[in-house]
Amino acid sequence: MAYTGLPRIKHVRAFTVRGGGADYHDQGAGHWIDDHIATPMARYPEYRQSRQSFGINVLGTLVVEIEAEDGTIGFAVTTGGEPACFIVERHLARFLEGRNPAEYEKIWDQMYFSTQYYGRKGLVVNAISGVDLALWDLLGKLRGEPVHALLGGAVRDELQFYATGSRPDLAKDMGFIGGKMPLHHGPAEGIEGLRKNIAELATMRERVGPDFWLMLDCWMALDVDYATRLALAAHEHGLKWIEEAISPDDYWGYAELKRNVPRGMLVTTGEHEATRWGFRMLLEMDCCDILQPDVGWCGGVTELLKISALADAHGKLVVPHGSSVYSYHFVITRHNSPFAEFLMMHPGPSEVLPMFHPQLIGEPVPVNGRLRASALDKPGFGVELNRDLPMHRPYAR
Ligand SMILES: C[C@H](O)[C@H](O)CC(=O)C(=O)O
Ligand SMILES: [Mg+2]
């Protein structure tokens, strides 16, 4: 018999919003995040200068709201836009409305298996993640507890962050423990491009000194041979890790790359991977040292708990990709997640802006590269939706 102490779920709603936020690639002109970054599409010269040119920001943000019978509303944001709204309203909502919000396991299972014939990864799992996160937010608000408390409580007093952006030197001045730079040139730009990549790393190493962590994010742009040559050349400049070097489908390539990189350099990946089954492949094939699930794309918190336990049993770290508060509430509860990512959303990036700016109100940001656990002590994920932004509900029921 299901526990019925909580108000039931009355209504699920899905909206789109444009302009940054959870779809953090949806930025204005001149932003570092769209400035000649190596991608799998960079083999075509016409799509090399800007990721927006090939449509990196076509989806926009998905906002999921779940309202309980007593009027309490849980919400979450992730990438997915209008097509994800369709999936949420026309397919997934049926597994929530009329149900007890504490039944997140059964709800997740039904969302995943009912969509398996057209889902499993990508957009569908983004939509499932958005619903799952909104459900955890609702549960926290109904119980008057932060999500991290529902997950077992903080295992440390504060979070420590590395920063992702084009200026690790500025990130160092802001107190971060490391800086992850986008790789700017892919294999199609030949040996000249490889030299430029290494020169940028060398310049940054000079600016930040010998001890500050420096990492390269390759956003799926390379092949094993190029990634190996990059890793070998980057070693003398103290590269801590090489991230998402090749296609997320090439588990065999990751296993080879991990064998090829110099001792001490880490291989990381997983932001475009989803569910316990995808991460099981990465773990069992020994593809990487650090798993980087995005909480809004991997299946939400319910699935992340399983991914994290699997990783722990394999002796691997889980450092979620981006994900703002959805990552913070999780990372603070896990020993095998010793630090977190902070994606720099300032165009420069010379200032700390909330990662999902401007969509969340009360989104905490690191101060001096750190965030006290007490900053997360509000019900649910501790943030509110900025309702001044124009939201659109294309599949209202
Ligand atoms: C900078 C990367 O290309 C991407 O936009 C963000 C990312 O992959 C990460 O933060 O990791
Ligand atoms: Mg990345």
Side-chain angles (χ1 to χ4, degrees), residues 180 217 243-244 271 321:
K180 186 173 81 189
D217 190 322
E243 176 166 321
E244 225 194 4
E271 70 186 70
H321 168 253

Side-chain angles (χ1 to χ4, degrees), residues 24-25 32-33 37 51 162 164 180 182 217 219 243-244 271-272 321-322 341 343:
Y24 59 87
H25 289 123
W32 71 266
I33 208 157
I37 290 179
R51 297 194 279 191
Y162 76 87
T164 296
K180 186 173 81 189
D217 190 322
W219 212 74
E243 176 166 321
E244 225 194 4
E271 70 186 70
H272 296 104
H321 168 253
E341 174 178 16
L343 248 165

Side-chain angles (χ1 to χ4, degrees), residues 43 186-188 218 220-230 242 244-247 250 253 256-257 260:
R43 71 186 73 174
C218 309
M220 308 168 278
L222 313 180
D223 52 50
V224 175
D225 174 61
Y226 189 102
T228 302
R229 287 187 291 135
L230 178 70
I242 179 166
E244 225 194 4
I246 57 178
S247 162
D250 190 1
E256 190 181 341
L257 179 63
N260 289 353

Side-chain angles (χ1 to χ4, degrees), residues 320-352:
H321 168 253
S323 334
S324 180
V325 286
Y326 308 118
S327 165
Y328 310 158
H329 278 260
F330 181 81
V331 168
I332 198 88
T333 68
R334 289 295 178 277
H335 284 296
N336 64 324
S337 300
F339 56 90
E341 174 178 16
F342 190 77
L343 248 165
M344 299 293 281
M345 282 300 118
H346 185 272
S350 53
E351 278 173 37
V352 170

Side-chain angles (χ1 to χ4, degrees), residues 188-200:
E189 290 178 75
I191 190 71
E192 269 316 300
L194 183 60
R195 286 199 187 108
K196 284 186 194 163
N197 286 331
I198 294 298
E200 280 176 29

Side-chain angles (χ1 to χ4, degrees), residues 10 83 123 152 161 193 271 277-278 290 355 364 385 392:
K10 189 167 82 182
L123 182 68
F161 291 86
E271 70 186 70
W277 298 284
I290 301 181
M355 211 188 294
L385 187 60
H392 174 51

